[in-house]
Amino acid sequence: MQQEGLLVSIEGVTCFLPGDPERKHPVLRDICWQVTAGGHCALFGPNGAGKSSLLRLAGGELWPAAGRILWRGAEAMETSPIAGRSLCALVSPAVQEVWQRRAPYMTGLEYIMGAIAGAEFGVAEEACEARACAAAESLGCAELLPRLLPELSQGQLRLVLLAAALAREPALLLLDECLDGLDLGHRRRFTEALEAYAERGTVIMASHRPETVPSWCRGRAWLEAGRLFHEEPVRPAPAERPVVSRPAAAGAAAPPLIQLSGVSVYIDRHKVLHDIDWTLRRGEHWRLTGANGSGKSTLLRLLAGDEFAAAGGTLRRFLPSLGREAETLEEVRRGVRLVSDLSQALYGYPLTGLELVCSGLDNSIGVYRGFSAEEQAEARRLVELFFPEGEGARVAAASIRRLSTGQLRRLFLARALMGGPDVLLLDEPCSGLDEAARERYLSSLERLAASGTGPALVFVSHEAGDAPACCAREARLDAGRLAILA
Protein backbone atom coordinates (compact mmCIF):
# COMPACT_ATOMS: atom_id res chain seq x y z
CA MET A 1 0.00 0.00 0.00
CA GLN A 2 1.12 3.56 -0.64
CA GLN A 3 -0.06 6.26 1.74
CA GLU A 4 -1.39 9.29 -0.16
CA GLY A 5 1.24 12.01 -0.47
CA LEU A 6 3.94 10.10 1.42
CA LEU A 7 7.41 10.46 -0.14
CA VAL A 8 9.78 9.00 2.47
CA SER A 9 9.10 7.03 5.64
CA ILE A 10 12.00 6.62 8.11
CA GLU A 11 11.13 4.11 10.81
CA GLY A 12 13.36 3.68 13.87
CA VAL A 13 16.59 4.13 11.93
CA THR A 14 20.06 4.10 13.47
CA CYS A 15 23.10 4.74 11.24
CA PHE A 16 26.89 4.65 11.42
CA LEU A 17 29.38 6.32 9.09
CA PRO A 18 32.00 4.37 7.09
CA GLY A 19 34.76 5.87 9.27
CA ASP A 20 33.34 3.97 12.25
CA PRO A 21 33.74 0.28 11.23
CA GLU A 22 33.33 -0.98 14.80
CA ARG A 23 30.00 0.85 15.04
CA LYS A 24 30.70 2.56 18.34
CA HIS A 25 29.41 6.02 17.46
CA PRO A 26 25.96 6.16 15.81
CA VAL A 27 25.54 9.29 13.73
CA LEU A 28 21.73 8.91 13.72
CA ARG A 29 19.78 7.34 16.59
CA ASP A 30 16.28 5.86 16.37
CA ILE A 31 15.05 8.35 13.75
CA CYS A 32 11.31 8.31 13.00
CA TRP A 33 10.18 10.79 10.35
CA GLN A 34 7.74 10.97 7.47
CA VAL A 35 8.19 13.36 4.57
CA THR A 36 5.03 14.17 2.63
CA ALA A 37 4.54 15.99 -0.67
CA GLY A 38 4.53 19.74 -0.07
CA GLY A 39 5.86 19.32 3.48
CA HIS A 40 8.78 21.70 3.07
CA CYS A 41 11.02 21.59 6.13
CA ALA A 42 14.20 23.22 7.47
CA LEU A 43 16.65 21.18 9.55
CA PHE A 44 18.67 22.89 12.29
CA GLY A 45 21.31 21.73 14.71
CA PRO A 46 24.96 22.22 15.65
CA ASN A 47 27.93 20.84 13.72
CA GLY A 48 28.08 17.06 14.10
CA ALA A 49 24.39 16.73 15.08
CA GLY A 50 23.62 14.53 12.05
CA LYS A 51 21.87 16.89 9.60
CA SER A 52 23.98 15.93 6.57
CA SER A 53 23.68 12.25 7.45
CA LEU A 54 19.89 12.50 7.67
CA LEU A 55 19.76 14.09 4.20
CA ARG A 56 22.03 11.35 2.82
CA LEU A 57 19.78 8.74 4.42
CA ALA A 58 16.67 10.30 2.88
CA GLY A 59 18.41 10.38 -0.51
CA GLY A 60 19.34 6.68 -0.45
CA GLU A 61 23.08 7.27 0.06
CA LEU A 62 23.38 6.01 3.65
CA TRP A 63 22.11 2.62 4.75
CA PRO A 64 20.46 1.92 8.13
CA ALA A 65 22.12 -0.36 10.68
CA ALA A 66 18.72 -0.73 12.38
CA GLY A 67 15.19 0.19 11.37
CA ARG A 68 14.12 0.75 7.79
CA ILE A 69 13.46 3.47 5.24
CA LEU A 70 10.88 3.40 2.44
CA TRP A 71 10.51 5.61 -0.61
CA ARG A 72 7.53 6.25 -2.86
CA GLY A 73 7.60 3.98 -5.88
CA ALA A 74 5.43 3.74 -8.95
CA GLU A 75 2.75 1.68 -7.18
CA ALA A 76 3.89 1.13 -3.59
CA MET A 77 6.46 2.18 -1.00
CA GLU A 78 9.84 0.55 -1.74
CA THR A 79 12.89 -0.30 0.39
CA SER A 80 15.44 -0.16 -2.44
CA PRO A 81 17.85 2.83 -2.24
CA ILE A 82 17.59 2.98 -6.04
CA ALA A 83 14.05 4.24 -5.52
CA GLY A 84 15.40 6.88 -3.13
CA ARG A 85 18.05 8.09 -5.58
CA SER A 86 15.45 8.34 -8.32
CA LEU A 87 13.00 10.21 -6.11
CA CYS A 88 15.50 12.67 -4.59
CA ALA A 89 18.26 15.06 -5.62
CA LEU A 90 20.90 16.03 -3.04
CA VAL A 91 23.17 19.09 -3.12
CA SER A 92 25.72 19.23 -0.30
CA PRO A 93 29.35 20.09 0.50
CA ALA A 94 30.12 16.35 0.37
CA VAL A 95 28.72 16.03 -3.17
CA GLN A 96 30.76 19.07 -4.21
CA GLU A 97 33.91 17.57 -2.69
CA VAL A 98 33.41 14.37 -4.70
CA TRP A 99 33.47 16.34 -7.95
CA GLN A 100 36.39 18.49 -6.82
CA ARG A 101 38.40 15.32 -6.12
CA ARG A 102 37.50 13.74 -9.44
CA ALA A 103 38.20 16.98 -11.36
CA PRO A 104 36.93 15.36 -14.58
CA TYR A 105 37.33 16.89 -17.99
CA MET A 106 33.61 17.48 -18.12
CA THR A 107 31.77 20.68 -18.93
CA GLY A 108 28.99 22.14 -16.84
CA LEU A 109 26.48 21.22 -19.55
CA GLU A 110 27.71 17.61 -19.66
CA TYR A 111 27.45 17.33 -15.89
CA ILE A 112 23.86 18.61 -15.78
CA MET A 113 22.79 16.45 -18.72
CA GLY A 114 24.43 13.44 -17.06
CA ALA A 115 22.47 14.09 -13.86
CA ILE A 116 19.19 14.19 -15.81
CA ALA A 117 19.99 11.06 -17.83
CA GLY A 118 21.12 9.21 -14.70
CA ALA A 119 17.76 9.79 -13.05
CA GLU A 120 15.48 9.24 -16.06
CA PHE A 121 15.90 6.29 -18.40
CA GLY A 122 15.49 7.03 -22.10
CA VAL A 123 15.29 10.83 -22.02
CA ALA A 124 16.04 12.31 -25.44
CA GLU A 125 19.32 14.21 -25.79
CA GLU A 126 17.62 17.32 -27.19
CA ALA A 127 15.14 17.46 -24.31
CA CYS A 128 17.93 16.80 -21.82
CA GLU A 129 20.02 19.68 -23.15
CA ALA A 130 17.03 22.04 -23.21
CA ARG A 131 16.26 21.29 -19.57
CA ALA A 132 19.91 21.78 -18.59
CA CYS A 133 20.03 25.17 -20.31
CA ALA A 134 16.73 26.27 -18.78
CA ALA A 135 17.91 25.36 -15.25
CA ALA A 136 21.21 27.18 -15.71
CA GLU A 137 19.41 30.23 -17.09
CA SER A 138 17.08 30.32 -14.08
CA LEU A 139 20.13 30.53 -11.79
CA GLY A 140 21.94 33.11 -13.92
CA CYS A 141 24.84 30.76 -14.67
CA ALA A 142 24.31 29.84 -18.34
CA GLU A 143 27.82 31.11 -19.12
CA LEU A 144 29.22 28.23 -17.04
CA LEU A 145 27.76 25.50 -19.27
CA PRO A 146 30.64 25.29 -21.79
CA ARG A 147 33.37 25.54 -19.12
CA LEU A 148 35.20 22.58 -17.62
CA LEU A 149 34.38 21.78 -14.00
CA PRO A 150 38.02 22.12 -12.83
CA GLU A 151 38.03 25.72 -14.12
CA LEU A 152 35.10 26.78 -11.91
CA SER A 153 35.36 28.57 -8.60
CA GLN A 154 33.78 27.04 -5.50
CA GLY A 155 30.68 29.21 -5.85
CA GLN A 156 30.39 28.53 -9.56
CA LEU A 157 30.60 24.76 -9.03
CA ARG A 158 27.89 25.03 -6.38
CA LEU A 159 25.67 26.79 -8.95
CA VAL A 160 26.21 23.99 -11.49
CA LEU A 161 25.28 21.36 -8.87
CA LEU A 162 22.14 23.31 -7.96
CA ALA A 163 21.21 23.66 -11.64
CA ALA A 164 21.63 19.90 -12.11
CA ALA A 165 19.37 19.19 -9.14
CA LEU A 166 16.64 21.55 -10.39
CA ALA A 167 16.90 20.22 -13.95
CA ARG A 168 16.15 16.71 -12.72
CA GLU A 169 12.76 17.90 -11.40
CA PRO A 170 12.94 15.53 -8.41
CA ALA A 171 9.94 14.91 -6.20
CA LEU A 172 12.16 15.69 -3.19
CA LEU A 173 15.03 18.20 -3.22
CA LEU A 174 17.54 17.87 -0.37
CA LEU A 175 19.73 20.92 0.24
CA ASP A 176 22.63 21.03 2.70
CA GLU A 177 23.88 24.60 3.39
CA CYS A 178 23.12 25.32 -0.27
CA LEU A 179 23.52 29.12 -0.11
CA ASP A 180 27.03 29.08 1.36
CA GLY A 181 29.57 30.36 -1.15
CA LEU A 182 27.05 32.22 -3.33
CA ASP A 183 27.15 35.98 -3.86
CA LEU A 184 24.04 38.08 -3.24
CA GLY A 185 22.96 38.13 -6.88
CA HIS A 186 23.11 34.37 -7.31
CA ARG A 187 21.46 33.83 -3.93
CA ARG A 188 18.54 35.91 -5.10
CA ARG A 189 18.30 33.99 -8.39
CA PHE A 190 18.48 30.65 -6.60
CA THR A 191 15.87 31.67 -4.03
CA GLU A 192 13.50 32.65 -6.85
CA ALA A 193 14.12 29.40 -8.75
CA LEU A 194 13.65 27.37 -5.55
CA GLU A 195 10.34 29.08 -4.81
CA ALA A 196 9.09 28.21 -8.30
CA TYR A 197 10.23 24.59 -7.83
CA ALA A 198 8.54 24.39 -4.40
CA GLU A 199 5.13 24.76 -6.08
CA ARG A 200 5.58 21.36 -7.75
CA GLY A 201 8.16 19.57 -5.56
CA THR A 202 9.17 19.25 -1.91
CA VAL A 203 12.21 20.84 -0.25
CA ILE A 204 14.13 19.72 2.83
CA MET A 205 16.98 22.10 3.65
CA ALA A 206 19.64 22.00 6.37
CA SER A 207 20.94 25.37 7.47
CA HIS A 208 22.98 27.06 10.19
CA ARG A 209 21.53 30.44 9.23
CA PRO A 210 17.77 30.55 10.02
CA GLU A 211 17.46 33.97 8.39
CA THR A 212 18.17 32.41 4.98
CA VAL A 213 15.26 29.92 5.15
CA PRO A 214 12.42 31.08 2.82
CA SER A 215 9.09 32.00 4.41
CA TRP A 216 7.25 29.29 2.46
CA CYS A 217 9.45 26.61 4.09
CA ARG A 218 7.35 26.43 7.25
CA GLY A 219 8.29 23.03 8.68
CA ARG A 220 10.98 22.86 11.36
CA ALA A 221 13.00 19.98 12.81
CA TRP A 222 16.09 19.89 14.98
CA LEU A 223 18.89 17.37 15.36
CA GLU A 224 20.88 17.00 18.56
CA ALA A 225 23.51 14.26 18.97
CA GLY A 226 21.90 12.20 16.20
CA ARG A 227 18.34 12.42 17.54
CA LEU A 228 15.47 14.14 15.73
CA PHE A 229 13.18 16.62 17.52
CA HIS A 230 10.16 18.50 16.25
CA GLU A 231 10.46 21.14 18.97
CA GLU A 232 13.69 23.07 19.46
CA PRO A 233 15.86 21.51 22.19
CA VAL A 234 16.93 23.79 25.00
CA ARG A 235 20.63 24.54 24.71
CA PRO A 236 22.85 27.29 26.11
CA ALA A 237 22.96 30.47 24.04
CA PRO A 238 26.27 30.83 22.18
CA ALA A 239 28.72 33.13 23.90
CA GLU A 240 29.06 36.52 22.31
CA ARG A 241 32.28 37.16 20.50
CA PRO A 242 34.61 38.94 22.93
CA VAL A 243 35.63 42.45 21.97
CA VAL A 244 39.27 42.39 20.91
CA SER A 245 41.08 45.64 20.32
CA ARG A 246 41.82 46.13 16.64
CA PRO A 247 45.57 46.11 15.89
CA ALA A 248 47.04 49.40 14.76
CA ALA A 249 47.20 49.94 11.01
CA ALA A 250 50.46 48.78 9.52
CA GLY A 251 51.16 51.94 7.52
CA ALA A 252 52.95 52.31 4.21
CA ALA A 253 56.35 52.04 5.90
CA ALA A 254 55.71 48.51 7.20
CA PRO A 255 57.83 45.92 5.39
CA PRO A 256 56.03 43.93 2.69
CA LEU A 257 55.19 40.26 2.99
CA ILE A 258 53.84 39.77 -0.53
CA GLN A 259 54.16 42.09 -3.55
CA LEU A 260 52.37 41.68 -6.87
CA SER A 261 53.19 43.89 -9.83
CA GLY A 262 51.38 43.56 -13.16
CA VAL A 263 50.38 39.96 -12.36
CA SER A 264 48.00 38.06 -14.64
CA VAL A 265 46.95 34.43 -14.34
CA TYR A 266 45.67 32.11 -17.08
CA ILE A 267 43.82 28.86 -16.44
CA ASP A 268 43.50 26.64 -19.52
CA ARG A 269 44.27 29.68 -21.71
CA HIS A 270 41.50 31.68 -20.06
CA LYS A 271 42.69 34.93 -18.45
CA VAL A 272 41.32 34.89 -14.91
CA LEU A 273 43.35 37.68 -13.24
CA HIS A 274 44.28 40.91 -15.04
CA ASP A 275 47.39 42.99 -14.22
CA ILE A 276 47.12 42.85 -10.43
CA ASP A 277 49.15 45.38 -8.41
CA TRP A 278 48.91 44.75 -4.66
CA THR A 279 51.07 44.66 -1.53
CA LEU A 280 50.39 42.82 1.72
CA ARG A 281 52.42 44.34 4.57
CA ARG A 282 53.31 43.04 8.01
CA GLY A 283 50.53 43.74 10.49
CA GLU A 284 47.87 44.07 7.79
CA HIS A 285 44.71 41.97 7.59
CA TRP A 286 42.57 42.13 4.45
CA ARG A 287 39.04 41.24 3.49
CA LEU A 288 38.67 40.31 -0.19
CA THR A 289 35.22 40.55 -1.80
CA GLY A 290 33.75 39.99 -5.27
CA ALA A 291 31.06 38.06 -7.10
CA ASN A 292 31.25 34.33 -7.87
CA GLY A 293 33.85 33.82 -10.59
CA SER A 294 35.55 37.20 -10.07
CA GLY A 295 38.88 35.53 -9.32
CA LYS A 296 39.05 35.51 -5.49
CA SER A 297 39.92 31.83 -5.11
CA THR A 298 42.40 32.06 -7.99
CA LEU A 299 44.17 34.97 -6.29
CA LEU A 300 44.45 33.04 -3.02
CA ARG A 301 45.82 29.98 -4.84
CA LEU A 302 48.35 32.25 -6.57
CA LEU A 303 49.54 33.66 -3.25
CA ALA A 304 49.81 30.12 -1.84
CA GLY A 305 51.88 28.85 -4.78
CA ASP A 306 49.14 26.72 -6.35
CA GLU A 307 48.84 28.96 -9.43
CA PHE A 308 51.58 30.81 -11.30
CA ALA A 309 51.88 34.34 -12.63
CA ALA A 310 52.04 34.77 -16.41
CA ALA A 311 55.19 36.11 -18.00
CA GLY A 312 55.58 39.87 -17.57
CA GLY A 313 54.28 40.07 -13.99
CA THR A 314 56.25 39.70 -10.76
CA LEU A 315 55.26 38.06 -7.49
CA ARG A 316 57.61 38.19 -4.48
CA ARG A 317 57.13 36.79 -0.98
CA PHE A 318 59.26 38.10 1.89
CA LEU A 319 58.72 35.67 4.77
CA PRO A 320 59.91 36.59 8.30
CA SER A 321 60.14 32.89 9.20
CA LEU A 322 62.84 32.59 6.52
CA GLY A 323 64.42 35.98 7.10
CA ARG A 324 64.49 36.52 3.33
CA GLU A 325 62.49 36.17 0.12
CA ALA A 326 61.06 32.71 -0.52
CA GLU A 327 62.84 31.08 -3.44
CA THR A 328 61.29 27.62 -3.72
CA LEU A 329 57.74 26.31 -3.75
CA GLU A 330 58.49 24.33 -0.60
CA GLU A 331 59.46 27.54 1.22
CA VAL A 332 56.32 29.28 -0.01
CA ARG A 333 54.05 26.50 1.20
CA ARG A 334 55.63 26.46 4.64
CA GLY A 335 55.16 30.20 5.13
CA VAL A 336 51.86 30.82 3.30
CA ARG A 337 48.89 28.60 4.18
CA LEU A 338 45.55 28.31 2.39
CA VAL A 339 42.30 27.04 3.92
CA SER A 340 39.55 26.41 1.36
CA ASP A 341 36.83 24.02 0.24
CA LEU A 342 39.21 22.63 -2.37
CA SER A 343 42.04 21.91 0.07
CA GLN A 344 39.53 20.07 2.27
CA ALA A 345 38.08 18.15 -0.69
CA LEU A 346 41.48 16.89 -1.83
CA TYR A 347 42.31 15.49 1.61
CA GLY A 348 40.69 12.06 1.48
CA TYR A 349 43.09 10.16 3.73
CA PRO A 350 41.67 8.08 6.64
CA LEU A 351 43.44 9.94 9.46
CA THR A 352 42.48 11.01 12.95
CA GLY A 353 41.81 14.65 13.65
CA LEU A 354 45.15 14.92 15.47
CA GLU A 355 47.06 13.40 12.53
CA LEU A 356 45.34 15.83 10.15
CA VAL A 357 46.45 18.82 12.21
CA CYS A 358 50.00 17.44 12.61
CA SER A 359 50.29 17.15 8.82
CA GLY A 360 50.24 20.95 8.75
CA LEU A 361 53.84 20.98 10.00
CA ASP A 362 54.97 19.78 6.57
CA ASN A 363 51.91 21.16 4.73
CA SER A 364 51.55 17.70 3.25
CA ILE A 365 48.44 15.89 2.00
CA GLY A 366 48.71 12.82 4.17
CA VAL A 367 51.15 11.78 6.90
CA TYR A 368 54.62 10.56 5.94
CA ARG A 369 56.50 10.61 9.25
CA GLY A 370 56.05 10.32 12.98
CA PHE A 371 55.52 13.37 15.17
CA SER A 372 57.27 14.18 18.42
CA ALA A 373 55.49 14.59 21.73
CA GLU A 374 56.05 18.35 21.50
CA GLU A 375 54.56 18.49 18.00
CA GLN A 376 51.51 16.48 19.04
CA ALA A 377 51.03 18.71 22.10
CA GLU A 378 51.04 21.81 19.87
CA ALA A 379 48.47 20.15 17.58
CA ARG A 380 46.23 19.35 20.57
CA ARG A 381 46.52 22.96 21.78
CA LEU A 382 45.33 24.24 18.40
CA VAL A 383 42.45 21.75 18.28
CA GLU A 384 41.30 22.92 21.72
CA LEU A 385 41.44 26.51 20.46
CA PHE A 386 38.61 25.87 17.98
CA PHE A 387 36.46 23.37 19.89
CA PRO A 388 34.55 23.73 23.17
CA GLU A 389 36.11 22.24 26.25
CA GLY A 390 35.79 18.45 26.19
CA GLU A 391 34.97 18.22 22.46
CA GLY A 392 38.55 18.83 21.30
CA ALA A 393 39.90 15.56 22.72
CA ARG A 394 37.11 13.56 21.07
CA VAL A 395 37.58 15.25 17.68
CA ALA A 396 41.37 14.79 17.85
CA ALA A 397 40.93 11.04 18.38
CA ALA A 398 38.14 10.54 15.82
CA SER A 399 38.54 9.47 12.21
CA ILE A 400 38.06 12.49 9.94
CA ARG A 401 35.69 10.31 7.90
CA ARG A 402 33.06 10.50 10.64
CA LEU A 403 33.34 14.23 11.32
CA SER A 404 30.93 16.81 9.95
CA THR A 405 31.88 19.41 7.36
CA GLY A 406 31.80 22.12 10.03
CA GLN A 407 34.09 20.15 12.33
CA LEU A 408 36.55 19.59 9.48
CA ARG A 409 36.52 23.32 8.69
CA ARG A 410 37.88 24.04 12.16
CA LEU A 411 40.44 21.24 12.01
CA PHE A 412 41.80 22.58 8.73
CA LEU A 413 42.31 25.99 10.30
CA ALA A 414 44.20 24.37 13.18
CA ARG A 415 46.25 22.46 10.58
CA ALA A 416 47.08 25.69 8.72
CA LEU A 417 48.42 27.28 11.92
CA MET A 418 50.86 24.46 12.66
CA GLY A 419 54.43 25.63 12.30
CA GLY A 420 53.59 29.33 12.67
CA PRO A 421 52.96 30.52 9.08
CA ASP A 422 53.57 34.14 8.08
CA VAL A 423 50.42 34.49 5.96
CA LEU A 424 47.05 32.77 6.37
CA LEU A 425 44.64 32.73 3.41
CA LEU A 426 41.01 31.89 4.26
CA ASP A 427 38.50 31.17 1.47
CA GLU A 428 34.91 31.12 2.81
CA PRO A 429 36.15 29.50 6.04
CA CYS A 430 32.85 29.93 7.93
CA SER A 431 30.86 27.97 5.34
CA GLY A 432 29.13 25.10 7.16
CA LEU A 433 29.85 26.39 10.69
CA ASP A 434 27.05 26.75 13.22
CA GLU A 435 26.65 30.05 15.08
CA ALA A 436 28.68 29.02 18.12
CA ALA A 437 31.47 27.61 15.97
CA ARG A 438 31.56 30.77 13.82
CA GLU A 439 31.92 32.98 16.88
CA ARG A 440 34.68 30.78 18.31
CA TYR A 441 36.45 30.63 14.94
CA LEU A 442 36.38 34.39 14.35
CA SER A 443 37.27 35.34 17.91
CA SER A 444 40.29 33.03 17.69
CA LEU A 445 41.44 34.83 14.53
CA GLU A 446 40.93 38.20 16.22
CA ARG A 447 43.01 37.14 19.24
CA LEU A 448 45.78 35.96 16.92
CA ALA A 449 45.75 39.31 15.14
CA ALA A 450 45.70 41.29 18.42
CA SER A 451 48.67 39.33 19.78
CA GLY A 452 50.91 40.82 17.10
CA THR A 453 52.63 37.45 16.68
CA GLY A 454 50.08 35.72 14.44
CA PRO A 455 50.04 35.54 10.65
CA ALA A 456 48.74 38.24 8.32
CA LEU A 457 45.20 37.35 7.21
CA VAL A 458 43.52 37.52 3.81
CA PHE A 459 39.85 36.63 4.36
CA VAL A 460 37.32 35.87 1.62
CA SER A 461 33.60 35.73 2.41
CA HIS A 462 30.25 36.66 0.89
CA GLU A 463 28.85 37.15 4.43
CA ALA A 464 29.80 40.61 5.74
CA GLY A 465 29.27 39.48 9.34
CA ASP A 466 31.74 36.62 8.97
CA ALA A 467 34.84 38.77 8.48
CA PRO A 468 36.91 39.18 11.67
CA ALA A 469 37.06 42.73 13.03
CA CYS A 470 40.83 42.84 12.52
CA CYS A 471 40.39 43.02 8.72
CA ALA A 472 40.82 46.78 8.42
CA ARG A 473 41.90 46.70 4.77
CA GLU A 474 39.54 45.72 1.95
CA ALA A 475 39.88 45.00 -1.76
CA ARG A 476 37.35 43.88 -4.34
CA LEU A 477 37.78 41.75 -7.45
CA ASP A 478 35.57 42.40 -10.46
CA ALA A 479 36.07 40.15 -13.50
CA GLY A 480 39.67 39.51 -12.47
CA ARG A 481 40.59 43.15 -11.80
CA LEU A 482 41.51 44.29 -8.29
CA ALA A 483 40.36 47.56 -6.72
CA ILE A 484 41.54 48.76 -3.29
CA LEU A 485 38.56 49.95 -1.21
CA ALA A 486 40.15 50.71 2.16
Side-chain angles (χ1 to χ4, degrees), residues 38-125:
H40 311 304
C41 185
L43 290 175
F44 301 112
N47 292 136
K51 301 183 301 299
S52 298
S53 296
L54 181 55
L55 293 183
R56 290 179 59 202
L57 175 74
E61 296 188 6
L62 193 63
W63 195 244
R68 68 172 186 168
I69 178 168
L70 300 99
W71 294 272
R72 186 188 70 187
E75 298 180 356
M77 300 299 289
E78 300 182 15
T79 58
S80 169
I82 296 175
R85 293 169 191 172
S86 176
L87 185 77
C88 306
L90 170 65
V91 180
S92 70
V95 171
Q96 184 156 337
E97 286 180 11
V98 167
W99 287 99
Q100 285 174 316
R101 277 197 294 269
R102 291 177 180 177
Y105 288 98
M106 176 184 289
T107 66
L109 177 60
E110 289 169 338
Y111 174 79
I112 299 173
M113 290 178 65
I116 298 170
E120 299 179 33
F121 180 74
V123 61
E125 183 175 354

